[in-house]
Short mmCIF file of all heavy atoms in Angstrom, two decimals:
data_model
loop_
_atom_site.label_atom_id
_atom_site.label_comp_id
_atom_site.label_asym_id
_atom_site.label_seq_id
_atom_site.Cartn_x
_atom_site.Cartn_y
_atom_site.Cartn_z
N ALA A 67 0.84 -1.18 0.00
CA ALA A 67 0.00 0.00 0.00
C ALA A 67 0.88 1.24 0.00
O ALA A 67 2.05 1.19 0.39
CB ALA A 67 -0.92 0.01 1.22
N PRO A 68 0.34 2.38 -0.43
CA PRO A 68 1.13 3.62 -0.43
C PRO A 68 1.69 3.93 0.95
O PRO A 68 0.97 3.90 1.95
CB PRO A 68 0.11 4.67 -0.87
CG PRO A 68 -0.89 3.91 -1.68
CD PRO A 68 -1.01 2.59 -0.99
N GLY A 69 2.98 4.19 1.01
CA GLY A 69 3.62 4.54 2.26
C GLY A 69 3.92 3.38 3.18
O GLY A 69 4.37 3.60 4.31
N LYS A 70 3.67 2.16 2.74
CA LYS A 70 3.91 0.99 3.57
C LYS A 70 4.84 0.00 2.88
O LYS A 70 5.03 0.04 1.67
CB LYS A 70 2.59 0.29 3.91
CG LYS A 70 1.63 1.11 4.74
CD LYS A 70 0.40 0.30 5.12
CE LYS A 70 -0.54 1.09 6.01
NZ LYS A 70 -1.74 0.30 6.38
N GLN A 71 5.42 -0.90 3.68
CA GLN A 71 6.26 -1.95 3.15
C GLN A 71 5.42 -3.08 2.58
O GLN A 71 4.27 -3.27 2.96
CB GLN A 71 7.20 -2.49 4.23
CG GLN A 71 8.21 -1.49 4.74
CD GLN A 71 9.18 -2.09 5.73
OE1 GLN A 71 8.84 -3.02 6.46
NE2 GLN A 71 10.40 -1.58 5.75
N ARG A 72 6.02 -3.84 1.66
CA ARG A 72 5.33 -4.99 1.12
C ARG A 72 5.12 -6.03 2.21
O ARG A 72 6.03 -6.30 3.01
CB ARG A 72 6.14 -5.59 -0.03
CG ARG A 72 5.42 -6.69 -0.79
CD ARG A 72 6.22 -7.14 -2.01
NE ARG A 72 6.41 -6.06 -2.96
CZ ARG A 72 6.96 -6.22 -4.17
NH1 ARG A 72 7.36 -7.43 -4.56
NH2 ARG A 72 7.11 -5.18 -4.97
N GLU A 73 3.92 -6.61 2.26
CA GLU A 73 3.59 -7.56 3.30
C GLU A 73 2.94 -8.81 2.72
O GLU A 73 2.28 -8.76 1.68
CB GLU A 73 2.65 -6.94 4.33
CG GLU A 73 1.29 -6.56 3.77
CD GLU A 73 0.33 -6.03 4.83
OE1 GLU A 73 0.63 -6.14 6.03
OE2 GLU A 73 -0.73 -5.49 4.44
N LEU A 74 3.13 -9.92 3.42
CA LEU A 74 2.49 -11.17 3.03
C LEU A 74 1.00 -11.10 3.31
O LEU A 74 0.59 -10.71 4.40
CB LEU A 74 3.11 -12.34 3.79
CG LEU A 74 2.45 -13.70 3.58
CD1 LEU A 74 2.69 -14.20 2.16
CD2 LEU A 74 2.97 -14.71 4.60
N VAL A 75 0.20 -11.50 2.34
CA VAL A 75 -1.24 -11.59 2.50
C VAL A 75 -1.66 -13.03 2.76
O VAL A 75 -2.39 -13.33 3.71
CB VAL A 75 -1.98 -11.05 1.26
CG1 VAL A 75 -3.49 -11.22 1.40
CG2 VAL A 75 -1.62 -9.59 1.02
N ALA A 76 -1.21 -13.94 1.91
CA ALA A 76 -1.54 -15.36 2.04
C ALA A 76 -0.51 -16.17 1.28
O ALA A 76 0.07 -15.71 0.30
CB ALA A 76 -2.94 -15.64 1.49
N ALA A 77 -0.28 -17.40 1.74
CA ALA A 77 0.66 -18.29 1.08
C ALA A 77 0.14 -19.71 1.14
O ALA A 77 -0.55 -20.10 2.09
CB ALA A 77 2.04 -18.21 1.73
N ILE A 78 0.48 -20.49 0.12
CA ILE A 78 0.10 -21.89 0.06
C ILE A 78 1.30 -22.69 -0.41
O ILE A 78 1.92 -22.39 -1.42
CB ILE A 78 -1.14 -22.09 -0.85
CG1 ILE A 78 -1.57 -23.56 -0.86
CG2 ILE A 78 -0.88 -21.57 -2.26
CD1 ILE A 78 -2.95 -23.77 -1.50
N SER A 79 1.65 -23.73 0.34
CA SER A 79 2.81 -24.53 0.02
C SER A 79 2.50 -25.52 -1.09
O SER A 79 1.35 -25.70 -1.50
CB SER A 79 3.30 -25.27 1.26
OG SER A 79 2.44 -26.36 1.56
N SER A 80 3.54 -26.19 -1.58
CA SER A 80 3.35 -27.21 -2.59
C SER A 80 2.47 -28.35 -2.09
O SER A 80 1.81 -29.02 -2.89
CB SER A 80 4.70 -27.76 -3.06
OG SER A 80 5.41 -28.35 -1.99
N GLY A 81 2.45 -28.55 -0.77
CA GLY A 81 1.62 -29.58 -0.18
C GLY A 81 0.24 -29.11 0.23
O GLY A 81 -0.54 -29.91 0.78
N GLY A 82 -0.07 -27.83 0.00
CA GLY A 82 -1.40 -27.32 0.29
C GLY A 82 -1.57 -26.66 1.65
O GLY A 82 -2.69 -26.30 2.02
N TYR A 83 -0.49 -26.49 2.40
CA TYR A 83 -0.58 -25.81 3.68
C TYR A 83 -0.70 -24.31 3.47
O TYR A 83 0.00 -23.73 2.65
CB TYR A 83 0.63 -26.13 4.55
CG TYR A 83 0.71 -27.59 4.92
CD1 TYR A 83 1.51 -28.46 4.19
CD2 TYR A 83 -0.03 -28.10 5.98
CE1 TYR A 83 1.57 -29.81 4.52
CE2 TYR A 83 0.02 -29.44 6.31
CZ TYR A 83 0.83 -30.30 5.57
OH TYR A 83 0.88 -31.64 5.90
N ILE A 84 -1.57 -23.66 4.23
CA ILE A 84 -1.94 -22.28 4.00
C ILE A 84 -1.70 -21.41 5.24
O ILE A 84 -1.97 -21.83 6.37
CB ILE A 84 -3.43 -22.18 3.60
CG1 ILE A 84 -3.65 -22.88 2.25
CG2 ILE A 84 -3.88 -20.73 3.53
CD1 ILE A 84 -5.10 -23.00 1.85
N ASN A 85 -1.20 -20.21 5.00
CA ASN A 85 -1.07 -19.19 6.04
C ASN A 85 -1.68 -17.89 5.53
O ASN A 85 -1.55 -17.55 4.36
CB ASN A 85 0.39 -18.95 6.41
CG ASN A 85 0.99 -20.08 7.21
OD1 ASN A 85 0.38 -20.55 8.17
ND2 ASN A 85 2.18 -20.51 6.84
N TYR A 86 -2.34 -17.16 6.44
CA TYR A 86 -2.93 -15.86 6.12
C TYR A 86 -2.42 -14.80 7.08
O TYR A 86 -2.14 -15.08 8.25
CB TYR A 86 -4.46 -15.88 6.24
CG TYR A 86 -5.17 -16.75 5.25
CD1 TYR A 86 -5.64 -18.00 5.61
CD2 TYR A 86 -5.39 -16.31 3.95
CE1 TYR A 86 -6.31 -18.80 4.70
CE2 TYR A 86 -6.06 -17.10 3.03
CZ TYR A 86 -6.52 -18.35 3.41
OH TYR A 86 -7.19 -19.13 2.51
N ALA A 87 -2.33 -13.58 6.58
CA ALA A 87 -2.12 -12.46 7.47
C ALA A 87 -3.36 -12.30 8.35
O ALA A 87 -4.49 -12.54 7.92
CB ALA A 87 -1.88 -11.18 6.69
N GLY A 88 -3.14 -11.90 9.60
CA GLY A 88 -4.26 -11.76 10.52
C GLY A 88 -5.33 -10.80 10.03
O GLY A 88 -6.53 -10.99 10.30
N SER A 89 -4.93 -9.79 9.28
CA SER A 89 -5.86 -8.77 8.82
C SER A 89 -6.83 -9.27 7.75
O SER A 89 -7.84 -8.61 7.48
CB SER A 89 -5.09 -7.56 8.28
OG SER A 89 -4.25 -7.93 7.21
N VAL A 90 -6.54 -10.42 7.14
CA VAL A 90 -7.40 -10.91 6.07
C VAL A 90 -8.06 -12.25 6.40
O VAL A 90 -8.88 -12.73 5.61
CB VAL A 90 -6.63 -11.04 4.73
CG1 VAL A 90 -5.94 -9.74 4.39
CG2 VAL A 90 -5.63 -12.19 4.78
N LYS A 91 -7.74 -12.83 7.53
CA LYS A 91 -8.35 -14.11 7.91
C LYS A 91 -9.86 -13.98 7.98
O LYS A 91 -10.40 -13.03 8.53
CB LYS A 91 -7.81 -14.58 9.26
CG LYS A 91 -6.39 -15.10 9.22
CD LYS A 91 -5.95 -15.60 10.59
CE LYS A 91 -4.53 -16.14 10.56
NZ LYS A 91 -4.08 -16.59 11.89
N GLY A 92 -10.54 -14.96 7.39
CA GLY A 92 -11.99 -14.95 7.36
C GLY A 92 -12.58 -14.19 6.20
O GLY A 92 -13.78 -14.29 5.94
N ARG A 93 -11.75 -13.42 5.48
CA ARG A 93 -12.23 -12.64 4.34
C ARG A 93 -11.62 -13.09 3.02
O ARG A 93 -12.29 -13.07 1.99
CB ARG A 93 -11.93 -11.15 4.54
CG ARG A 93 -12.60 -10.55 5.77
CD ARG A 93 -12.44 -9.04 5.78
NE ARG A 93 -11.04 -8.63 5.87
CZ ARG A 93 -10.43 -7.86 4.98
NH1 ARG A 93 -11.10 -7.40 3.93
NH2 ARG A 93 -9.16 -7.52 5.15
N PHE A 94 -10.34 -13.47 3.03
CA PHE A 94 -9.62 -13.87 1.82
C PHE A 94 -9.39 -15.38 1.82
O PHE A 94 -9.21 -16.00 2.88
CB PHE A 94 -8.26 -13.19 1.74
CG PHE A 94 -8.30 -11.70 1.51
CD1 PHE A 94 -9.48 -10.98 1.58
CD2 PHE A 94 -7.13 -11.03 1.22
CE1 PHE A 94 -9.51 -9.62 1.37
CE2 PHE A 94 -7.14 -9.66 1.01
CZ PHE A 94 -8.33 -8.95 1.08
N THR A 95 -9.35 -15.96 0.62
CA THR A 95 -9.06 -17.38 0.46
C THR A 95 -8.06 -17.57 -0.66
O THR A 95 -8.28 -17.11 -1.78
CB THR A 95 -10.33 -18.18 0.14
OG1 THR A 95 -11.31 -17.99 1.17
CG2 THR A 95 -10.00 -19.67 0.05
N ILE A 96 -6.96 -18.25 -0.36
CA ILE A 96 -5.98 -18.58 -1.38
C ILE A 96 -6.18 -20.04 -1.81
O ILE A 96 -6.50 -20.90 -0.98
CB ILE A 96 -4.53 -18.36 -0.89
CG1 ILE A 96 -3.53 -18.51 -2.03
CG2 ILE A 96 -4.19 -19.28 0.27
CD1 ILE A 96 -2.10 -18.10 -1.66
N SER A 97 -6.02 -20.30 -3.09
CA SER A 97 -6.14 -21.66 -3.60
C SER A 97 -5.24 -21.81 -4.82
O SER A 97 -4.79 -20.82 -5.39
CB SER A 97 -7.60 -21.98 -3.96
OG SER A 97 -8.08 -21.12 -4.98
N ARG A 98 -4.99 -23.05 -5.19
CA ARG A 98 -4.17 -23.29 -6.37
C ARG A 98 -4.74 -24.42 -7.19
O ARG A 98 -5.34 -25.35 -6.65
CB ARG A 98 -2.71 -23.57 -5.99
CG ARG A 98 -2.49 -24.86 -5.20
CD ARG A 98 -1.06 -24.93 -4.64
NE ARG A 98 -0.06 -24.95 -5.70
CZ ARG A 98 1.23 -24.68 -5.51
NH1 ARG A 98 1.66 -24.35 -4.30
NH2 ARG A 98 2.07 -24.73 -6.53
N ASP A 99 -4.55 -24.33 -8.49
CA ASP A 99 -4.96 -25.36 -9.42
C ASP A 99 -3.72 -25.74 -10.21
O ASP A 99 -3.35 -25.06 -11.17
CB ASP A 99 -6.08 -24.87 -10.34
CG ASP A 99 -6.64 -25.97 -11.21
OD1 ASP A 99 -5.96 -26.98 -11.45
OD2 ASP A 99 -7.81 -25.82 -11.67
N ASN A 100 -3.06 -26.80 -9.80
CA ASN A 100 -1.80 -27.19 -10.43
C ASN A 100 -1.98 -27.59 -11.89
O ASN A 100 -1.07 -27.39 -12.70
CB ASN A 100 -1.15 -28.33 -9.65
CG ASN A 100 -0.62 -27.89 -8.31
OD1 ASN A 100 -0.41 -26.70 -8.07
ND2 ASN A 100 -0.42 -28.84 -7.41
N ALA A 101 -3.14 -28.14 -12.23
CA ALA A 101 -3.40 -28.52 -13.62
C ALA A 101 -3.44 -27.30 -14.53
O ALA A 101 -3.15 -27.40 -15.73
CB ALA A 101 -4.70 -29.30 -13.72
N LYS A 102 -3.82 -26.15 -13.98
CA LYS A 102 -3.90 -24.91 -14.75
C LYS A 102 -2.72 -23.97 -14.50
O LYS A 102 -2.68 -22.87 -15.05
CB LYS A 102 -5.20 -24.17 -14.44
CG LYS A 102 -6.45 -24.92 -14.85
CD LYS A 102 -7.71 -24.11 -14.54
CE LYS A 102 -8.96 -24.84 -14.98
NZ LYS A 102 -10.19 -24.06 -14.67
N ASN A 103 -1.77 -24.40 -13.67
CA ASN A 103 -0.62 -23.57 -13.33
C ASN A 103 -1.06 -22.19 -12.82
O ASN A 103 -0.50 -21.16 -13.21
CB ASN A 103 0.31 -23.40 -14.53
CG ASN A 103 1.15 -24.63 -14.82
OD1 ASN A 103 2.05 -24.58 -15.65
ND2 ASN A 103 0.87 -25.74 -14.17
N THR A 104 -2.06 -22.18 -11.95
CA THR A 104 -2.66 -20.93 -11.53
C THR A 104 -2.92 -20.93 -10.02
O THR A 104 -3.33 -21.94 -9.46
CB THR A 104 -3.98 -20.68 -12.28
OG1 THR A 104 -3.73 -20.65 -13.68
CG2 THR A 104 -4.60 -19.35 -11.87
N VAL A 105 -2.68 -19.78 -9.40
CA VAL A 105 -3.04 -19.57 -8.00
C VAL A 105 -4.03 -18.42 -7.94
O VAL A 105 -3.95 -17.48 -8.73
CB VAL A 105 -1.79 -19.29 -7.13
CG1 VAL A 105 -1.09 -18.01 -7.56
CG2 VAL A 105 -2.16 -19.24 -5.66
N TYR A 106 -4.99 -18.51 -7.01
CA TYR A 106 -6.06 -17.53 -6.90
C TYR A 106 -6.08 -16.90 -5.52
O TYR A 106 -5.63 -17.49 -4.54
CB TYR A 106 -7.42 -18.19 -7.14
CG TYR A 106 -7.54 -18.94 -8.44
CD1 TYR A 106 -7.30 -20.31 -8.50
CD2 TYR A 106 -7.88 -18.28 -9.62
CE1 TYR A 106 -7.41 -21.00 -9.69
CE2 TYR A 106 -7.99 -18.96 -10.81
CZ TYR A 106 -7.76 -20.32 -10.85
OH TYR A 106 -7.86 -21.01 -12.03
N LEU A 107 -6.63 -15.70 -5.46
CA LEU A 107 -6.92 -15.06 -4.19
C LEU A 107 -8.33 -14.50 -4.27
O LEU A 107 -8.57 -13.51 -4.97
CB LEU A 107 -5.92 -13.94 -3.88
CG LEU A 107 -6.08 -13.29 -2.51
CD1 LEU A 107 -5.73 -14.28 -1.40
CD2 LEU A 107 -5.23 -12.03 -2.39
N GLN A 108 -9.26 -15.15 -3.59
CA GLN A 108 -10.63 -14.66 -3.50
C GLN A 108 -10.71 -13.69 -2.34
O GLN A 108 -10.41 -14.05 -1.20
CB GLN A 108 -11.60 -15.82 -3.28
CG GLN A 108 -13.06 -15.41 -3.14
CD GLN A 108 -13.63 -14.81 -4.40
OE1 GLN A 108 -13.45 -15.36 -5.47
NE2 GLN A 108 -14.31 -13.68 -4.27
N MET A 109 -11.11 -12.46 -2.61
CA MET A 109 -11.16 -11.41 -1.61
C MET A 109 -12.61 -10.97 -1.43
O MET A 109 -13.22 -10.44 -2.35
CB MET A 109 -10.30 -10.22 -2.02
CG MET A 109 -8.85 -10.59 -2.32
SD MET A 109 -7.80 -9.15 -2.67
CE MET A 109 -8.56 -8.59 -4.19
N ASN A 110 -13.14 -11.18 -0.24
CA ASN A 110 -14.50 -10.79 0.10
C ASN A 110 -14.48 -9.74 1.20
O ASN A 110 -13.49 -9.56 1.89
CB ASN A 110 -15.31 -12.01 0.57
CG ASN A 110 -15.44 -13.08 -0.48
OD1 ASN A 110 -15.53 -12.79 -1.67
ND2 ASN A 110 -15.47 -14.34 -0.04
N SER A 111 -15.61 -9.06 1.36
CA SER A 111 -15.75 -8.04 2.40
C SER A 111 -14.59 -7.06 2.39
O SER A 111 -13.99 -6.75 3.42
CB SER A 111 -15.87 -8.71 3.78
OG SER A 111 -16.98 -9.59 3.83
N LEU A 112 -14.28 -6.55 1.22
CA LEU A 112 -13.13 -5.68 1.06
C LEU A 112 -13.30 -4.38 1.83
O LEU A 112 -14.40 -3.83 1.93
CB LEU A 112 -12.88 -5.40 -0.41
CG LEU A 112 -12.22 -6.56 -1.17
CD1 LEU A 112 -12.41 -6.42 -2.66
CD2 LEU A 112 -10.73 -6.62 -0.82
#
């Protein structure tokens, strides 16, 4: 964000383990589709 350092929002390991920043827990969802070589971030209640 403007005036702030880059911060982790969410991460997902190769084995599917997930971590979220406390500020987005319950609102954001990270997922991956290895068949499509794609990772997603669903952001709700922005």
Side-chain angles (χ1 to χ4, degrees):
K70 296 185 177 180
Q71 295 184 329
R72 188 174 298 187
E73 64 176 349
L74 175 69
V75 177
I78 182 167
S79 75
S80 61
Y83 296 97
I84 295 172
N85 287 313
Y86 294 102
S89 59
V90 307
K91 286 182 179 179
R93 299 189 297 122
F94 292 10
T95 302
I96 188 171
S97 62
R98 65 191 297 163
D99 187 337
N100 290 340
K102 296 181 178 179
N103 285 189
T104 302
V105 63
Y106 305 95
L107 185 68
Q108 178 66 47
M109 305 185 295
N110 298 326
S111 301
L112 283 161

